[in-house]
Amino acid sequence: MDIFQMERSGYGSKRFPKLVVSFLIAFCLLYMVSMVYRSSTFVLIGEAAKDNGTGEVSENATTPSGTEMEDKHPSGTESMVVDKLLGGLLATGFDEESCISRYQATSYRKTSPHKPSAYLVSKLRKYEDLHKRCGPNTESYKRALKKLSSSHINGTTDCNYIVWTPSNGLGNRIISMASSFLYAVLTNRVLLVDHGTDMAGIFCEPFPNTSWLLPIDFPLTNQFYSLQPGNAHSYGHLLKINNMNISTVSQPPSFLHIYLAYNYDRHDKLFFQDENLGFLQKVPWLILKSDQYFVPYLFLIPSFQQELGKLFPDKETVFHHLVRYLFHPSNQAWGLITRFYRAYLASADQKIGLQVRVFDRKASPVNVVLEQILGCIKKEKLLPQVDEQKPIASPSKNQTLRAITIASLYPEYYERIKSMYWMKPTVNGDFIGVYQPSHEEVQHFGNNVHNMKAWAEISILSLSDVLVTSSWSTFGYVAQGLGGLKPWILYVPAGNKSTDQPCPRGMSMEPCFHFPPDYHRISNTRKRLDTGSLVPHVRQCEDASKGIKLFNAKQL
């Protein structure tokens, strides 16, 4: 009953006590004030997390208590506490506006369950100090440059370097840069990279308060294009003219070319020979050309095994940690990535990435490849089938929106899959959106815009919940490493018939070293050995029978 009903019902001949009325009025006023306060607090918190000029959630938003606020996922469907430094993998001290993606990418990607070891974190901080001390334009760097004019080196140098030079497409470049960096860490060298004009402005600087870019006035730049097997300045050639006995070389040269691309010869492959590592350590400048992920072979070199075991207790996460540490999209690239994501993927309940790499279109006709793709989708139940009987899906409370991002040089796969899900409903009522960021038709080597788009598409694929990559594709390797994903590996048919196993699940998210040297030739043993008998975590790749890759031994 309300107050007036109580009075009329004879609860007292007198008016309801003024004290009670006053209490009720005060209670109402307090309630109204509290609602206003709650509303204003909500507005304040919302303002703290508003767009900071980049279209993203502010990284410094705090609750009224001053604790770190949970960042809202760009989809708006979930929130998570963002680990901006990736478990200590990333260093502090950067100007965040100069590389927005460095700390915001975690808001677009599921939190990785793979944490870097404390030893790896410590080693990275030590490397950053070394790079800052020895990097471009430092006094140590200038002193090291002067030694390049000498034919041989007498004594030791303050800093030693490995200079990476590009070969082949962007995927090959990223996996070889990551490999070169790990070698630099293991051998206490400074990594400098020659990005040239076709990779300019694609990546952020990975190390604080310094640069990893090779200065344009580096004296040996004119030799980079002559880096081929058997080069007169190569380590392989030096071994060849000394009858494979490096101990006969009295003084190390000031620099050596290291050629580790797919077509390297048997002398170049001796770079991996353990007993010659001491000689290489005396050479201040190594000029490297590679398009391979040669990390797995480093695990076979006895001198490195103990250190690598401490750095990476989880062998399957080596590239995952390296690629997330080194490669951050520049602001321009991050704009491409986030605009595509927010326009097409943010509202999806599930994101599927499909990367289709066809090396020979004549050998792999569109219809055959498409049949392989659809066979993969059906067999692995990655997407619902279409309903051939009903024109409209039956209403369902559990309808799901799935978004497929197709990365391919060609538009035909996108057009056919999009048409399939547009013309027919799915059997379970799910809605399927199909998108393709670009279709360049051909790979444009030496083109900066092409590489920018490629980097954006790799990054977009890495934001997927489910990933399908093409066999042998380094493009796909980088996406799976960034995302920490074990992909389904699409075997692109090189003939007129699809296979019965269109896309088996990968057992490791590590890239494959496609062209490793024969171990028995490197170790001077006559007997051929399975690398798995040497260390349990280096085995044959799923997609390249002659290649090797890293696995977690417990899962084999």
Side-chain angles (χ1 to χ4, degrees):
M1 295 183 179
D2 61 21
I3 296 174
F4 302 105
Q5 285 177 322
M6 288 192 290
E7 289 188 66
R8 286 194 296 270
S9 301
Y11 277 92
S13 57
K14 297 181 180 180
R15 298 172 70 83
F16 198 72
K18 292 183 178 180
L19 181 62
V20 175
V21 173
S22 299
F23 172 80
L24 291 174
I25 292 172
F27 176 80
C28 292
L29 288 172
L30 285 171
Y31 178 77
M32 292 173 65
V33 169
S34 70
M35 291 299 292
V36 171
Y37 174 76
R38 288 178 63 189
S39 176
S40 64
T41 302
F42 175 79
V43 171
L44 287 171
I45 295 174
E47 289 295 327
K50 264 188 178 181
D51 191 335
N52 62 7
T54 64
E56 313 302 336
V57 175
S58 171
E59 299 290 356
N60 299 318
T62 57
T63 61
S65 63
T67 58
E68 185 175 350
M69 183 180 177
E70 287 190 343
D71 282 1
K72 192 172 183 182
H73 195 272
S75 66
T77 59
E78 59 179 305
S79 68
M80 65 185 84
V81 176
V82 172
D83 177 14
K84 290 172 56 174
L85 300 180
L86 305 179
L89 192 70
L90 304 184
T92 57
F94 284 95
D95 174 12
E96 295 192 20
E97 290 300 313
S98 68
C99 184
I100 296 169
S101 70
R102 186 186 309 278
Y103 303 120
Q104 286 193 355
T106 52
S107 299
Y108 286 78
R109 189 176 285 128
K110 287 184 177 179
T111 302
S112 173
H114 309 290
K115 303 302 179 185
S117 68
Y119 189 74
L120 173 61
V121 171
S122 172
K123 198 76 171 181
L124 291 175
R125 299 296 87 83
K126 290 178 181 177
Y127 174 83
E128 290 158 3
D129 291 340
L130 174 68
H131 199 108
K132 185 177 179 181
R133 177 168 59 85
C134 300
N137 301 317
T138 61
E139 291 303 315
S140 295
Y141 174 80
K142 293 174 183 176
R143 284 195 295 270
L145 278 185
K146 292 179 181 179
K147 296 182 181 296
L148 280 174
S149 58
S150 303
S151 58
H152 293 87
I153 292 297
N154 293 313
T156 58
T157 55
D158 294 341
C159 306
N160 289 343
Y161 299 84
I162 182 166
V163 177
W164 176 90
T165 64
S167 179
N168 284 324
L170 187 64
N172 295 85
R173 297 180 182 194
I174 291 174
I175 62 173
S176 62
M177 272 190 279
S179 303
S180 304
F181 174 70
L182 181 56
Y183 180 81
V185 170
L186 292 171
T187 57
N188 204 39
R189 289 183 178 272
V190 172
L191 173 67
L192 299 177
V193 295
D194 174 30
H195 280 179
T197 57
D198 63 343
M199 288 199 297
I202 292 178
F203 307 112
C204 299
E205 291 279 3
F207 314 127
N209 304 310
T210 185
S211 176
W212 71 336
L213 297 177
L214 183 73
I216 58 175
D217 60 352
F218 183 68
L220 302 182
T221 304
N222 61 339
Q223 296 186 13
F224 291 174
Y225 293 102
S226 64
L227 273 169
Q228 298 296 332
N231 179 281
H233 296 291
S234 72
Y235 177 57
H237 180 73
L238 184 65
L239 284 169
K240 183 178 180 180
I241 63 176
N242 285 279
N243 297 316
M244 313 297 286
N245 187 1
I246 203 68
S247 63
T248 62
V249 181
S250 58
Q251 288 182 313
S254 59
F255 71 93
L256 276 175
H257 291 171
I258 307 295
Y259 189 81
L260 301 180
Y262 73 97
N263 61 339
Y264 58 162
D265 65 24
R266 65 189 185 93
H267 298 105
D268 292 319
K269 292 175 182 179
L270 294 174
F271 168 80
F272 296 104
Q273 200 167 41
D274 191 31
E275 54 265 37
N276 293 342
L277 288 178
F279 175 82
L280 286 174
Q281 283 296 92
K282 299 174 184 178
V283 181
W285 291 92
L286 298 181
I287 315 299
L288 172 76
K289 187 169 188 176
S290 175
D291 56 4
Q292 296 291 298
Y293 181 68
F294 56 85
V295 165
Y297 215 98
L298 300 180
F299 280 79
L300 298 179
I301 299 175
S303 297
F304 292 153
Q305 288 174 353
Q306 183 178 1
E307 183 75 355
L308 286 169
K310 292 163 65 178
L311 289 168
F312 303 103
D314 186 351
K315 304 301 185 293
E316 192 186 322
T317 63
V318 177
F319 185 65
H320 178 56
H321 293 320
L322 291 177
V323 75
R324 292 189 308 154
Y325 173 74
L326 289 172
F327 300 100
H328 306 281
S330 66
N331 287 353
Q332 184 178 356
W334 189 237
L336 296 178
I337 296 160
T338 53
R339 284 191 292 275
F340 183 90
Y341 184 95
R342 288 182 175 276
Y344 304 112
L345 307 180
S347 60
D349 300 300
Q350 186 187 46
K351 297 175 285 294
I352 298 100
L354 172 59
Q355 183 250 340
V356 185
R357 178 71 166 99
V358 177
F359 293 95
D360 186 341
R361 297 200 79 187
K362 291 183 179 179
S364 304
V366 171
N367 288 338
V368 178
V369 176
L370 185 65
E371 183 181 349
Q372 188 90 340
I373 294 170
L374 297 180
C376 168
I377 290 171
K378 182 178 181 179
K379 185 170 183 177
E380 303 299 334
K381 299 180 180 179
L382 302 180
L383 288 169
Q385 298 297 298
V386 295
D387 192 330
E388 300 290 349
Q389 306 300 321
K390 299 178 182 178
I392 298 176
S394 301
S396 171
K397 293 181 180 180
N398 299 317
Q399 287 176 324
T400 300
L401 174 60
R402 305 181 195 274
I404 312 171
T405 300
I406 298 179
S408 176
L409 287 172
Y410 315 111
E412 291 91 341
Y413 312 111
Y414 157 72
E415 294 288 353
R416 298 280 284 275
I417 295 173
K418 181 188 73 170
S419 177
M420 180 178 75
Y421 283 110
W422 182 42
M423 297 301 293
K424 299 286 184 181
T426 58
V427 292
N428 63 354
D430 285 357
F431 298 107
I432 312 296
V434 186
Y435 311 102
Q436 182 174 13
S438 69
H439 44 84
E440 300 283 284
E441 297 287 350
V442 295
Q443 189 167 350
H444 300 282
F445 293 102
N447 185 301
N448 183 261
V449 174
H450 179 85
N451 282 333
M452 182 77 73
K453 290 179 180 179
W455 178 221
E457 292 191 22
I458 288 172
S459 299
I460 291 166
L461 286 175
S462 77
L463 305 178
S464 303
D465 303 307
V466 173
L467 183 62
V468 180
T469 62
S470 295
S471 58
W472 277 80
S473 175
T474 56
F475 191 103
Y477 292 162
V478 180
Q480 71 197 40
L482 279 171
L485 301 166
K486 289 183 181 179
W488 278 263
I489 303 172
L490 181 70
Y491 289 111
V492 178
N496 291 316
K497 188 177 181 180
S498 58
T499 65
D500 295 332
Q501 289 189 324
C503 62
R505 184 74 182 273
M507 294 183 63
S508 169
M509 58 188 180
E510 278 286 298
C512 178
F513 181 11
H514 288 153
F515 299 99
D518 292 330
Y519 183 81
H520 77 287
R521 295 184 184 276
I522 298 300
S523 58
N524 293 321
T525 60
R526 294 183 179 181
K527 184 180 179 181
R528 287 182 178 272
L529 295 173
D530 175 16
T531 54
S533 65
L534 301 170
V535 292
H537 42 270
V538 178
R539 295 292 180 95
Q540 178 182 309
C541 303
E542 303 99 331
D543 59 333
S545 59
K546 294 183 179 180
I548 58 174
K549 68 185 294 186
L550 292 166
F551 294 84
N552 277 334
K554 294 179 181 179
Q555 297 178 0
L556 296 174

